[in-house]
């Protein structure tokens, strides 16, 4: 049995996107096992994956060069990996990989993404999906892997619509008034389940639950494992370009995704999701202005989000 040590320590959604790739890799390479190293609170993303061991760490325990050397020595002693897959490609993981042999590193396509998102003379074309970039790391190590890009429903009994109206950055989030209007319209004919996190989001979604019939806020009430189970039971999830889209992909639930400053051309559409379910203002010359939606709107009006009509989302449902 060949043992592969893989790691990524970044944002929740980025790590969630890796899980379907690992599942298909392990299915196609039955003589392998994977040890995945990441932040402790991501453990439930990998629950139930056969031949995969999750090793959660606290990054504060391994600061600087010598801290990463300590981590490398611990991982070598505990797992004795045959190969190492760096699925992050940042300074921290480059240092970590330095202490191992037979390593391969993620190609993020940074140059292509800069051309896609620059202010003028954008090179606006679809880039390689991030999931394929993850798969390439294992291919570099000499393994075969062909991704299906299909959803695999975890639950066969599906009902209700989930809605995750928030995102980490303003450039990825529909105006709150439009999100409320959408919930009001949908709740007339569907059971609606609201997802979010953080004190402010919990307060807003709890208020919507109190004011509207057929609306249930799950914000702040579920563990990650419970949230994944609930999303798996939904008929449909509506999400911004955010982690919730990737959680739905992980459990095989269809997503209608809303895109503002970001663009699916950068390669971050949820695994197995359809481009037909994307909601966007496609003809804005300024889009995309950011890979992750971090940059403030240089126009000042967030037209990419404010011009989206609720009817565009309803048509997808």
């Amino acid at each position: 049995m060949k043992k592969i040590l893989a790691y990524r320590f970044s944002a929740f959604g980025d790590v969630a996107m890796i899980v379907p790739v690992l599942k298909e890799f392990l299915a196609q390479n039955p003589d392998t096992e994977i040890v995945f190293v990441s932040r402790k609170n991501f453990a439930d993303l990998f629950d139930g994956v056969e031949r995969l061991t999750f090793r959660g760490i606290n990054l504060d325990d391994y600061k600087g060069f010598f801290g990463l050397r300590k981590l490398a020595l611990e991982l070598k002693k505990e797992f004795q990996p045959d190969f190492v897959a760096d699925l992050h490609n940042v300074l921290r993981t480059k240092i970590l990989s330095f202490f191992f042999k037979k390593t391969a590193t993620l190609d993020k396509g940074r140059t292509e993404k800069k051309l896609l998102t620059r202010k003028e003379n954008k090179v606006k074309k679809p880039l390689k999906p991030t999931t394929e970039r993850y798969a390439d790391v294992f291919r570099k190590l000499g393994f075969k892997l062909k991704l299906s890009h299909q959803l695999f429903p975890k639950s066969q009994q599906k009902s209700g619509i989930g809605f995750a109206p928030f995102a980490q950055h303003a450039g990825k989030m529909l105006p709150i008034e439009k999100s409320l209007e959408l919930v009001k319209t949908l709740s007339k004919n569907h059971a609606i389940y609201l997802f979010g996190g953080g004190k402010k989001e919990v307060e807003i979604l709890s208020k919507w639950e109190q004011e509207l019939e057929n609306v249930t806020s799950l914000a702040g009430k579920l563990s990650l494992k419970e949230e994944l189970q609930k999303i798996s039971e939904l008929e449909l999830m509506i999400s911004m370009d955010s982690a919730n889209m990737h959680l739905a992909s992980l459990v095989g639930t269809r997503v209608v995704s809303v895109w503002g400053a970001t663009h699916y051309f950068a390669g971050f559409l949820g695994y197995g999701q359809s481009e037909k379910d994307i909601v966007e203002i496609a003809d804005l010359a300024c889009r995309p202005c950011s890979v992750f939606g971090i940059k403030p709107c240089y126009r000042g009006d967030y037209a990419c989000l404010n011009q989206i009509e609720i009817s565009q989302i309803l048509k997808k449902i």
Side-chain angles (χ1 to χ4, degrees), residues 241-257:
D241 168 23
S242 70
N244 289 282
M245 171 174 59
H246 303 301
L247 294 182
S249 285
L250 202 159
V251 294
T253 294
R254 176 185 162 226
V255 177
V256 171
S257 55

Side-chain angles (χ1 to χ4, degrees), residues 201-238:
E201 294 180 14
V202 170
E203 289 176 356
I204 292 171
L205 299 183
S206 295
K207 185 178 179 183
W208 293 4
E209 178 184 40
Q210 294 167 9
E211 294 176 349
L212 302 170
E213 294 185 1
N214 294 329
V215 175
T216 302
S217 173
L218 300 175
K221 299 177 181 178
L222 304 179
S223 67
L224 175 56
K225 189 172 185 178
E226 291 169 335
E227 187 171 332
L228 286 167
Q229 180 60 36
K230 182 58 186 178
I231 294 174
S232 76
E233 296 167 357
L234 295 172
E235 182 181 353
L236 171 73
M237 172 68 99
I238 303 171

